[in-house]
Amino acid sequence: MKEAKAELRKIVAFSEKEHQVFVQNKKLEIVHFHLQNNAFYKDLVGSENYENWEDLPVLNKKNLQKPLLERLSKGYFVKNSYVNKTSGSSGTPFIFAKDKYCHALTWASNMYRFGWYGIDFNTSYQARFYGIPMDFISNKKERFKDFLSHRFRFSIFDLSDDVLEKILKKFQNEKFDYINGYTSSIVLFAKFLQKKNIVLTSICPSLKVCMVTSEMLFDDDKMLLEKQFGIPIVNEYGASELDLIAFQNTEGEWQVNSETLFVEILDENNKAVANGTSGRIVITSLFNKAHPFIRYDLGDIGILDEKSTLQKPILKKLIGRTNDVAVLPSGKKSPGLTFYYVTKSIIEDDGNVKEFVIKQTKIDCFEIEYVSEAELNLEQIKKIKKAIELYLEPHLNFIFIRKNSLERRNRGKLKQFKSML
């Protein structure tokens, strides 16, 4: 860990020219290593040699859905690597590995970025809104890890008002330094505080900052969190198999990690697009020798800011997953989040609806599942239909289903749009 922190400090201190040389060298080094030492990657490339970076194949999640032992590099095994699995929120879960040094760099990177906000992983006390295993042994293991990591975890599988009241009391009795966790759960807590007319720092003045992750953070939700928590809200974007990909800096920019990763935005022909243009987010892990993540298609669509440089790329916008696309009767394709944006702006006007998800069941049929204190009225439903006609197209059918709670994934994530086609 000491070595990883020292290397990260060195990389951060590079001049722009030095950083350019560093990235070029690390790209060559990691590709060469895997072509020489990883049969899976050599097979994928089809040769031990390549002329240009752009000639290398784009690695997708389906490529990785084979036994981990078939994907590990020479000299790396389950016992001498960090092994974990992805959440499966993309629909294609898989097991991955990082060598121990790469994993240490991941933590050094996290510590460096959280440090921008005065958070020290060794001493700062975290209020953690994450999923947790429900079986007794796994639950106790996770709780013990939380204790060692100086954090308290709120299970997010039940966020009824009674449970939120208990969470509120915990904040009254503990000196938390920061909040970290899934966006939708933290937003739900903020809505509860809004209803009770409570600003969180009035009862927990030790709080400094809130980091949200794993799900989209909408502008109005960010404003709600800032108002009800009374602290800065920081948006992070990461992937367990890689690292923190982008983290909001103190200037409010979504700064991309250029120390341990090389990030590309590619079009459908796997060619890099100009900054300011949307495309698939494709990432190379510059240090992972245990397992190749070279030109790895994360399954997300995003835009790099026009002012981005190689040393300081800025993520202008994260649009959503490539498989979260609604196909409409006219043939038009629209990101599923379009529905979410439109519906969200109307459905929450009166504060009645706590949260909702949208499912496309047929090409012209959508289900909106929502949690609220009362049924949506005809006026609200008319507004939603009218807005969707305006933004998308007419003659779409909607079924509104009121529920007591929404189905979350096994780690507690809420998938906001899902196509069943």
Tab-separated table of all heavy atoms in Angstrom, residues 289-322:
chain	number	residue	atom	x	y	z
A	289	LYS	N	-2.157	-6.711	-14.139
A	289	LYS	CA	-1.451	-7.782	-14.841
A	289	LYS	C	-2.123	-9.142	-14.652
A	289	LYS	O	-1.920	-10.058	-15.442
A	289	LYS	CB	0.006	-7.843	-14.369
A	289	LYS	CG	0.811	-6.637	-14.830
A	289	LYS	CD	2.265	-6.745	-14.440
A	289	LYS	CE	3.063	-5.589	-15.049
A	289	LYS	NZ	4.475	-5.635	-14.632
A	290	ALA	N	-2.924	-9.284	-13.598
A	290	ALA	CA	-3.581	-10.573	-13.341
A	290	ALA	C	-4.639	-10.875	-14.398
A	290	ALA	O	-4.858	-12.026	-14.761
A	290	ALA	CB	-4.218	-10.580	-11.957
A	291	HIS	N	-5.299	-9.835	-14.887
A	291	HIS	CA	-6.437	-10.010	-15.804
A	291	HIS	C	-6.479	-8.844	-16.784
A	291	HIS	O	-6.361	-7.692	-16.378
A	291	HIS	CB	-7.730	-10.057	-14.979
A	291	HIS	CG	-8.951	-10.387	-15.786
A	291	HIS	ND1	-9.473	-9.538	-16.745
A	291	HIS	CD2	-9.763	-11.471	-15.766
A	291	HIS	CE1	-10.554	-10.088	-17.274
A	291	HIS	NE2	-10.749	-11.262	-16.694
A	292	PRO	N	-6.628	-9.096	-18.083
A	292	PRO	CA	-6.649	-7.979	-19.037
A	292	PRO	C	-7.981	-7.224	-19.054
A	292	PRO	O	-9.047	-7.822	-19.188
A	292	PRO	CB	-6.426	-8.676	-20.390
A	292	PRO	CG	-6.952	-10.065	-20.203
A	292	PRO	CD	-6.767	-10.408	-18.754
A	293	PHE	N	-7.894	-5.920	-18.859
A	293	PHE	CA	-9.011	-5.018	-19.157
A	293	PHE	C	-8.442	-3.968	-20.109
A	293	PHE	O	-8.071	-2.868	-19.700
A	293	PHE	CB	-9.573	-4.382	-17.881
A	293	PHE	CG	-10.433	-5.321	-17.074
A	293	PHE	CD1	-9.969	-5.846	-15.885
A	293	PHE	CD2	-11.696	-5.692	-17.519
A	293	PHE	CE1	-10.751	-6.728	-15.144
A	293	PHE	CE2	-12.486	-6.564	-16.783
A	293	PHE	CZ	-12.004	-7.085	-15.595
A	294	ILE	N	-8.312	-4.371	-21.364
A	294	ILE	CA	-7.712	-3.512	-22.388
A	294	ILE	C	-8.783	-3.184	-23.420
A	294	ILE	O	-9.381	-4.074	-24.010
A	294	ILE	CB	-6.505	-4.212	-23.049
A	294	ILE	CG1	-5.410	-4.465	-21.994
A	294	ILE	CG2	-5.965	-3.389	-24.222
A	294	ILE	CD1	-4.307	-5.379	-22.453
A	295	ARG	N	-9.044	-1.891	-23.581
A	295	ARG	CA	-10.135	-1.416	-24.453
A	295	ARG	C	-11.429	-2.164	-24.073
A	295	ARG	O	-12.092	-2.785	-24.885
A	295	ARG	CB	-9.801	-1.599	-25.932
A	295	ARG	CG	-8.506	-0.943	-26.357
A	295	ARG	CD	-8.452	-0.753	-27.869
A	295	ARG	NE	-9.030	0.524	-28.271
A	295	ARG	CZ	-9.468	0.797	-29.507
A	295	ARG	NH1	-9.436	-0.136	-30.435
A	295	ARG	NH2	-9.971	1.972	-29.788
A	296	TYR	N	-11.761	-2.066	-22.825
A	296	TYR	CA	-12.892	-2.779	-22.233
A	296	TYR	C	-14.146	-1.909	-22.302
A	296	TYR	O	-14.181	-0.811	-21.747
A	296	TYR	CB	-12.524	-3.140	-20.791
A	296	TYR	CG	-13.658	-3.590	-19.907
A	296	TYR	CD1	-14.471	-4.669	-20.254
A	296	TYR	CD2	-13.892	-2.950	-18.689
A	296	TYR	CE1	-15.493	-5.083	-19.419
A	296	TYR	CE2	-14.900	-3.368	-17.847
A	296	TYR	CZ	-15.700	-4.426	-18.216
A	296	TYR	OH	-16.711	-4.844	-17.380
A	297	ASP	N	-15.150	-2.396	-23.019
A	297	ASP	CA	-16.417	-1.669	-23.179
A	297	ASP	C	-17.249	-1.872	-21.927
A	297	ASP	O	-17.766	-2.950	-21.657
A	297	ASP	CB	-17.161	-2.213	-24.410
A	297	ASP	CG	-18.385	-1.381	-24.771
A	297	ASP	OD1	-18.903	-0.672	-23.890
A	297	ASP	OD2	-18.833	-1.456	-25.935
A	298	LEU	N	-17.406	-0.805	-21.179
A	298	LEU	CA	-18.080	-0.885	-19.892
A	298	LEU	C	-19.598	-1.046	-20.028
A	298	LEU	O	-20.284	-1.449	-19.110
A	298	LEU	CB	-17.749	0.382	-19.093
A	298	LEU	CG	-17.922	0.354	-17.602
A	298	LEU	CD1	-17.096	-0.754	-16.969
A	298	LEU	CD2	-17.526	1.685	-16.996
A	299	GLY	N	-20.115	-0.723	-21.228
A	299	GLY	CA	-21.560	-0.810	-21.437
A	299	GLY	C	-22.279	0.485	-21.121
A	299	GLY	O	-23.502	0.524	-20.989
A	300	ASP	N	-21.502	1.579	-20.997
A	300	ASP	CA	-22.096	2.891	-20.703
A	300	ASP	C	-21.848	3.846	-21.868
A	300	ASP	O	-20.900	3.679	-22.637
A	300	ASP	CB	-21.481	3.497	-19.435
A	300	ASP	CG	-21.920	2.777	-18.169
A	300	ASP	OD1	-22.968	2.104	-18.199
A	300	ASP	OD2	-21.209	2.869	-17.158
A	301	ILE	N	-22.693	4.867	-21.951
A	301	ILE	CA	-22.537	5.912	-22.969
A	301	ILE	C	-22.246	7.225	-22.255
A	301	ILE	O	-22.890	7.557	-21.253
A	301	ILE	CB	-23.819	6.062	-23.813
A	301	ILE	CG1	-24.171	4.727	-24.478
A	301	ILE	CG2	-23.657	7.149	-24.875
A	301	ILE	CD1	-25.546	4.703	-25.103
A	302	GLY	N	-21.250	7.965	-22.757
A	302	GLY	CA	-20.908	9.226	-22.110
A	302	GLY	C	-20.287	10.211	-23.076
A	302	GLY	O	-20.042	9.904	-24.244
A	303	ILE	N	-20.022	11.406	-22.558
A	303	ILE	CA	-19.430	12.492	-23.355
A	303	ILE	C	-18.289	13.107	-22.552
A	303	ILE	O	-18.452	13.445	-21.377
A	303	ILE	CB	-20.473	13.597	-23.655
A	303	ILE	CG1	-21.684	13.032	-24.394
A	303	ILE	CG2	-19.844	14.736	-24.452
A	303	ILE	CD1	-22.839	14.028	-24.543
A	304	LEU	N	-17.124	13.233	-23.177
A	304	LEU	CA	-16.020	13.977	-22.560
A	304	LEU	C	-16.160	15.452	-22.906
A	304	LEU	O	-16.513	15.812	-24.035
A	304	LEU	CB	-14.657	13.471	-23.054
A	304	LEU	CG	-14.145	12.144	-22.483
A	304	LEU	CD1	-12.778	11.819	-23.084
A	304	LEU	CD2	-14.048	12.173	-20.964
A	305	ASP	N	-15.880	16.308	-21.955
A	305	ASP	CA	-15.963	17.758	-22.158
A	305	ASP	C	-14.950	18.208	-23.213
A	305	ASP	O	-13.853	17.648	-23.321
A	305	ASP	CB	-15.671	18.460	-20.828
A	305	ASP	CG	-16.168	19.895	-20.832
A	305	ASP	OD1	-15.531	20.729	-21.516
A	305	ASP	OD2	-17.181	20.186	-20.175
A	306	GLU	N	-15.325	19.242	-23.953
A	306	GLU	CA	-14.450	19.780	-25.011
A	306	GLU	C	-13.108	20.246	-24.455
A	306	GLU	O	-12.089	20.234	-25.152
A	306	GLU	CB	-15.133	20.957	-25.730
A	306	GLU	CG	-16.307	20.565	-26.612
A	306	GLU	CD	-17.633	20.436	-25.870
A	306	GLU	OE1	-17.630	20.424	-24.612
A	306	GLU	OE2	-18.677	20.340	-26.539
A	307	LYS	N	-13.086	20.680	-23.199
A	307	LYS	CA	-11.833	21.210	-22.619
A	307	LYS	C	-10.946	20.104	-22.046
A	307	LYS	O	-9.892	20.384	-21.471
A	307	LYS	CB	-12.153	22.238	-21.533
A	307	LYS	CG	-12.865	21.663	-20.320
A	307	LYS	CD	-13.243	22.761	-19.338
A	307	LYS	CE	-14.026	22.183	-18.155
A	307	LYS	NZ	-14.551	23.224	-17.282
A	308	SER	N	-11.337	18.849	-22.208
A	308	SER	CA	-10.566	17.730	-21.666
A	308	SER	C	-9.166	17.664	-22.267
A	308	SER	O	-8.961	17.971	-23.439
A	308	SER	CB	-11.276	16.403	-21.963
A	308	SER	OG	-12.500	16.330	-21.276
A	309	THR	N	-8.205	17.243	-21.436
A	309	THR	CA	-6.851	16.940	-21.918
A	309	THR	C	-6.548	15.495	-21.517
A	309	THR	O	-7.290	14.897	-20.741
A	309	THR	CB	-5.806	17.881	-21.278
A	309	THR	OG1	-5.788	17.648	-19.857
A	309	THR	CG2	-6.123	19.340	-21.549
A	310	LEU	N	-5.455	14.947	-22.034
A	310	LEU	CA	-5.081	13.579	-21.677
A	310	LEU	C	-4.838	13.462	-20.173
A	310	LEU	O	-5.200	12.478	-19.539
A	310	LEU	CB	-3.817	13.164	-22.444
A	310	LEU	CG	-3.320	11.734	-22.210
A	310	LEU	CD1	-4.317	10.705	-22.747
A	310	LEU	CD2	-1.953	11.528	-22.858
A	311	GLN	N	-4.232	14.499	-19.599
A	311	GLN	CA	-3.917	14.474	-18.168
A	311	GLN	C	-5.144	14.760	-17.299
A	311	GLN	O	-5.274	14.221	-16.196
A	311	GLN	CB	-2.816	15.494	-17.851
A	311	GLN	CG	-2.313	15.394	-16.413
A	311	GLN	CD	-1.107	16.274	-16.181
A	311	GLN	OE1	-0.940	17.309	-16.817
A	311	GLN	NE2	-0.243	15.877	-15.262
A	312	LYS	N	-6.035	15.608	-17.811
A	312	LYS	CA	-7.223	15.959	-17.029
A	312	LYS	C	-8.480	15.861	-17.902
A	312	LYS	O	-9.050	16.856	-18.309
A	312	LYS	CB	-7.095	17.365	-16.436
A	312	LYS	CG	-8.181	17.679	-15.404
A	312	LYS	CD	-8.037	19.088	-14.852
A	312	LYS	CE	-9.174	19.414	-13.899
A	312	LYS	NZ	-9.100	20.805	-13.396
A	313	PRO	N	-8.938	14.624	-18.163
A	313	PRO	CA	-10.195	14.469	-18.898
A	313	PRO	C	-11.358	14.798	-17.963
A	313	PRO	O	-11.322	14.482	-16.773
A	313	PRO	CB	-10.216	12.983	-19.291
A	313	PRO	CG	-8.914	12.397	-18.791
A	313	PRO	CD	-8.357	13.331	-17.787
A	314	ILE	N	-12.376	15.436	-18.513
A	314	ILE	CA	-13.572	15.774	-17.734
A	314	ILE	C	-14.776	15.078	-18.367
A	314	ILE	O	-15.021	15.230	-19.575
A	314	ILE	CB	-13.820	17.309	-17.709
A	314	ILE	CG1	-12.598	18.049	-17.131
A	314	ILE	CG2	-15.087	17.640	-16.921
A	314	ILE	CD1	-12.268	17.748	-15.702
A	315	LEU	N	-15.503	14.316	-17.575
A	315	LEU	CA	-16.718	13.665	-18.068
A	315	LEU	C	-17.850	14.689	-18.021
A	315	LEU	O	-18.266	15.123	-16.962
A	315	LEU	CB	-17.059	12.445	-17.195
A	315	LEU	CG	-18.205	11.549	-17.674
A	315	LEU	CD1	-17.907	10.932	-19.036
A	315	LEU	CD2	-18.477	10.448	-16.654
A	316	LYS	N	-18.280	15.092	-19.218
A	316	LYS	CA	-19.328	16.119	-19.307
A	316	LYS	C	-20.690	15.547	-18.955
A	316	LYS	O	-21.504	16.178	-18.288
A	316	LYS	CB	-19.351	16.677	-20.742
A	316	LYS	CG	-20.287	17.845	-20.951
A	316	LYS	CD	-20.147	18.359	-22.378
A	316	LYS	CE	-20.965	19.616	-22.600
A	316	LYS	NZ	-20.754	20.134	-23.982
A	317	LYS	N	-20.923	14.307	-19.413
A	317	LYS	CA	-22.236	13.698	-19.185
A	317	LYS	C	-22.138	12.183	-19.259
A	317	LYS	O	-21.436	11.639	-20.101
A	317	LYS	CB	-23.221	14.202	-20.251
A	317	LYS	CG	-24.674	13.946	-19.915
A	317	LYS	CD	-25.588	14.628	-20.924
A	317	LYS	CE	-27.043	14.446	-20.559
A	317	LYS	NZ	-27.952	15.027	-21.555
A	318	LEU	N	-22.836	11.535	-18.340
A	318	LEU	CA	-23.006	10.085	-18.382
A	318	LEU	C	-24.450	9.842	-18.773
A	318	LEU	O	-25.371	10.190	-18.033
A	318	LEU	CB	-22.696	9.478	-17.010
A	318	LEU	CG	-22.790	7.962	-16.894
A	318	LEU	CD1	-21.769	7.283	-17.797
A	318	LEU	CD2	-22.582	7.525	-15.444
A	319	ILE	N	-24.659	9.275	-19.952
A	319	ILE	CA	-26.013	9.166	-20.504
A	319	ILE	C	-26.721	7.914	-20.012
A	319	ILE	O	-27.930	7.901	-19.802
A	319	ILE	CB	-25.970	9.219	-22.052
A	319	ILE	CG1	-25.404	10.583	-22.484
A	319	ILE	CG2	-27.349	8.997	-22.657
A	319	ILE	CD1	-25.059	10.675	-23.949
A	320	GLY	N	-25.992	6.849	-19.812
A	320	GLY	CA	-26.633	5.614	-19.351
A	320	GLY	C	-26.032	4.403	-20.023
A	320	GLY	O	-25.084	4.509	-20.807
A	321	ARG	N	-26.607	3.271	-19.752
A	321	ARG	CA	-26.088	2.020	-20.305
A	321	ARG	C	-26.534	1.836	-21.749
A	321	ARG	O	-27.628	2.245	-22.134
A	321	ARG	CB	-26.558	0.835	-19.464
A	321	ARG	CG	-25.927	0.827	-18.085
A	321	ARG	CD	-25.838	-0.576	-17.545
A	321	ARG	NE	-25.092	-0.582	-16.293
A	321	ARG	CZ	-23.785	-0.707	-16.208
A	321	ARG	NH1	-23.066	-0.834	-17.301
A	321	ARG	NH2	-23.178	-0.700	-15.044
A	322	THR	N	-25.675	1.179	-22.530
A	322	THR	CA	-26.001	0.946	-23.938
A	322	THR	C	-27.198	0.018	-24.087
A	322	THR	O	-27.892	0.051	-25.092
A	322	THR	CB	-24.794	0.318	-24.674
A	322	THR	OG1	-24.326	-0.798	-23.919
A	322	THR	CG2	-23.667	1.299	-24.823
